[in-house]
Amino acid sequence: MTDQDATDKGLGRALLNVDRASSPGGGGPDPRQVAGAVLDRDRRTIRLLAGAAILFWTLTAAGLIGLCPFYVMMVAPRLRAYHAGRASLVDDWDDWAMVGEWAAYWLLGCTIALLLAALSTVLLVLVSRRATLRQIKASLAEISEQLRGQRALG
């Protein structure tokens, strides 16, 4: 059982036991405190995932944009030199192997950043959905408690 599952169950139990906690002699933690702690944790998690998503999407975009100058500075001049007859392909095999290796590592980094960006985005959507449902549940429990209090007075 994860910490989040335990907290979700604790929030559910606390919200179900609002009557017992609000009655004199009721034991257990205050449901508002439990709900507040869970919602604060959700906010921190959402901020963390949003930051990770922004970071990884930015790294992906920067990496892909960075390939353009790499091509313009490393590949295009050599291709023009071959075309003009100023360079020989036979003499440049080591340089082409190095350029190919750099490009492969660069693309691997962009691919990993893209996968992490997609994963963090999906997790952000799922966690924010769950947090929204928890906020609704906590608000409904508070409204229910207020209605019970008004019925007791009236």
Side-chain angles (χ1 to χ4, degrees):
M1 178 184 303
T2 65
D3 182 42
Q4 184 171 352
D5 292 338
T7 308
D8 288 344
K9 288 182 181 179
L11 173 63
R13 274 189 239 110
L15 294 175
L16 288 173
N17 295 327
V18 167
D19 287 337
R20 279 186 242 152
S22 61
S23 65
D30 181 22
R32 287 185 202 105
Q33 290 176 344
V34 173
V38 171
L39 296 177
D40 285 342
R41 186 203 64 203
D42 286 343
R43 283 186 200 102
R44 285 190 307 272
T45 304
I46 288 171
R47 277 191 215 113
L48 176 71
L49 286 171
I54 290 169
L55 172 71
F56 290 128
W57 282 116
T58 303
L59 286 175
T60 300
L64 293 175
I65 290 169
L67 281 174
C68 295
F70 177 77
Y71 176 81
V72 169
M73 295 169 68
M74 300 291 285
V75 177
R78 287 183 185 251
L79 293 177
R80 281 200 246 16
Y82 296 142
H83 182 43
R86 293 185 312 249
S88 170
L89 183 60
V90 175
D91 299 332
D92 286 344
W93 283 115
D94 289 335
D95 292 339
W96 279 112
M98 181 183 65
V99 167
E101 189 174 326
W102 285 357
Y105 286 134
W106 196 273
L107 286 173
L108 177 64
C110 289
T111 303
I112 290 170
L114 178 65
L115 291 174
L116 290 172
L119 177 66
S120 59
T121 301
V122 168
L123 287 174
L124 177 61
V125 168
L126 293 175
V127 168
S128 64
R129 179 183 174 274
R130 183 178 290 162
T132 301
L133 292 174
R134 277 195 207 107
Q135 287 174 340
I136 292 169
K137 187 188 295 186
S139 295
L140 289 174
E142 188 174 329
I143 291 169
S144 176
E145 183 179 347
Q146 289 172 357
L147 289 174
R148 284 187 190 112
Q150 286 180 354
R151 281 187 199 149
L153 294 174

